[in-house]
Amino acid sequence: MTYCVGMVLDRGLVFMSDTRTNAGLDNISTFRKMTVWEQPGERVITLMAAGNLATTQAVVSLLDERSKSPEHREPSLLAVPSMFQAARMVAETLREVIDQHGDGGLRSDSTFHATLVIGGQIAGSPPRLFMIYPEGNFIESGQDTPFFQIGETKYGRPILVRAYDPAMSFEAAMKLLVVSFDSTLKANLTVGPPFDFHFYEADSLRVGHRGRIEPEDPYFQQVSKGWGDALKEALEILPDYRFGE
Amino acid sequence: MTYCVGMVLDRGLVFMSDTRTNAGLDNISTFRKMTVWEQPGERVITLMAAGNLATTQAVVSLLDERSKSPEHREPSLLAVPSMFQAARMVAETLREVIDQHGDGGLRSDSTFHATLVIGGQIAGSPPRLFMIYPEGNFIESGQDTPFFQIGETKYGRPILVRAYDPAMSFEAAMKLLVVSFDSTLKANLTVGPPFDFHFYEADSLRVGHRGRIEPEDPYFQQVSKGWGDALKEALEILPDYRFGE
């Protein structure tokens, strides 16, 4: 499994992904699931992937190759005129990769399926965030659904639903994401640290805060340990039930 | 879907179940998923069911019929010598019902599958809690796994994992369960109120606090609304992340 979250904030776009991949419980590895393309001052695009690792790596490699060799630059993520076209290109590439496996195309029940989140900004337009389904179609985030989760989405969802606020700072958003990821990895062995993050500042058109939170990271440890106590205190605040006799 | 939780506390056994059943999103109904058998002073047994409604209703009706007509009392839930035998009997009844549908027996991928939680106490033994898998085998709770969830278990799990404490009062356990159920129904439309509960006091050998929390219940409203704020305050307590520059 995998857990990735992409969020739209007033301040910009926020991405976090875990790094655990598994083919069976006794065959786990660590792989980066987040890729960032940058044309400084012109565009920054971030892609996160959940699903079959061979599929998602092939998608990223194809997109990457095209963006690196100038003679094959069309079509390239660094050349498309809008984030909508970027999402279409990624979806097309996903289709291309899965078609090669010849098991009948893009289906969420295919062995080779993948779900993707892509977000970023191209000069002249606001930041945008999309989720691409295994079938190759995609949706854009909006005011009512300002974040997307892919992979093991359930354990980490309640805290996102309750505490997300578009006006929150990047520092508070990181805290929220660490809590959401911590709840998930405590419940699902196929989600694991380290966690990659990218906090893109709106209109900067440059890669923002980008890094990795290791399991031994003091901040991660502090939040992971502190959250249990904080939750208990939150419960304390609420009144106990009173049984009618 | 369904959401049921059974917990072992020092004070006794706690059960809560939702009441929503659905055959498609546009065909929802309210059904009780909790059944309690009592022989005052001698035994109290509570059963909760998730899965195919026809299957679980048939299981309960068969168990119920046998416990009501004295001449057919063997085997009956009111006659078995131990909770372990009670769990075996329920599992056998589940097998019987599913075999009648003739789709090849008990399998978790069968259309007619069901998962059950059974707990209670028989005079002379301590309270015990079991979970019965769709395959008909079952496990008992222990110190390391002191509660069972069935149905849509994921959304409501993080708070249970973090805040469960065997020494907690029934009043605090009710609060914890209401929060766990509220998190679940906010995320999954096929889990819905009202919620049935039974709080069995250890060694009382009588039905304990039993009732139903309606969606308009003031306590439910208070906890549901208050929990969002309490969670935000809990997040506030934790330190924000500081990005290294």
Side-chain angles (χ1 to χ4, degrees), chain B:
Chain B
M1 207 68 151
T2 284
Y3 183 40
C4 304
V5 179
M7 295 200 298
V8 182
L9 300 179
D10 296 345
R11 266 192 69 179
L13 299 172
V14 166
F15 305 88
M16 190 177 273
S17 57
D18 85 316
T19 53
R20 184 159 296 170
T21 68
N22 71 301
L25 280 166
D26 54 351
N27 186 359
I28 65 170
S29 311
T30 300
F31 278 96
R32 184 177 290 276
K33 300 173 188 173
M34 183 189 293
T35 314
V36 182
W37 288 273
E38 180 191 30
Q39 186 93 293
E42 205 272 320
R43 69 180 65 200
V44 176
I45 297 174
T46 305
L47 182 71
M48 297 187 297
N52 183 283
L53 184 64
T55 298
T56 58
Q57 283 198 346
V59 168
V60 169
S61 293
L62 281 171
L63 292 168
D64 218 29
E65 269 187 8
R66 287 176 193 156
S67 68
K68 272 173 186 156
S69 58
E71 65 271 25
H72 296 106
R73 210 152 191 177
E74 304 289 344
S76 148
L77 275 184
L78 296 183
V80 288
S82 68
M83 281 305 298
F84 174 77
Q85 294 296 340
R88 275 188 65 173
M89 174 177 298
V90 173
E92 273 308 307
T93 310
L94 177 62
R95 185 184 307 275
E96 203 179 297
V97 169
I98 290 185
D99 278 351
Q100 285 168 357
H101 296 297
D103 76 333
L106 281 73
R107 295 196 324 270
S108 58
D109 58 351
S110 154
T111 318
F112 306 118
H113 80 105
T115 310
L116 303 155
V117 164
I118 180 171
Q121 185 172 23
I122 294 174
S125 302
R128 294 172 75 177
L129 183 71
F130 297 86
M131 179 162 78
I132 301 172
Y133 291 109
E135 288 79 3
N137 53 351
F138 55 85
I139 56 173
E140 182 171 5
S141 70
Q143 269 193 323
D144 295 321
T145 303
F147 58 83
F148 290 130
Q149 303 168 282
I150 56 176
E152 173 56 277
T153 62
K154 294 189 177 185
Y155 298 108
R157 187 169 181 83
I159 184 65
L160 288 183
V161 170
R162 299 285 201 159
Y164 168 86
D165 175 358
M168 73 201 309
S169 68
F170 278 176
E171 289 74 12
M174 173 68 101
K175 180 166 67 176
L176 174 59
L177 286 174
V178 167
V179 168
S180 177
F181 273 70
D182 185 53
S183 297
T184 306
L185 74 90
K186 279 208 163 44
N188 189 329
L189 288 175
T190 67
V191 174
F195 306 129
D196 292 317
F197 63 82
H198 178 209
F199 286 68
Y200 169 76
E201 191 100 38
D203 303 326
S204 70
L205 296 169
R206 278 169 207 286
V207 168
H209 300 288
R210 207 181 156 191
R212 176 168 270 200
I213 294 189
E214 301 284 347
E216 59 274 14
D217 183 288
Y219 181 76
F220 175 65
Q221 298 268 344
Q222 190 179 7
V223 168
S224 175
K225 285 189 188 125
W227 181 237
D229 296 332
L231 265 190
K232 281 180 205 163
E233 281 176 47
L235 261 186
E236 286 296 318
I237 296 170
L238 296 176
D240 278 357
Y241 188 74
R242 278 195 285 171
F243 290 97
E245 292 301 325

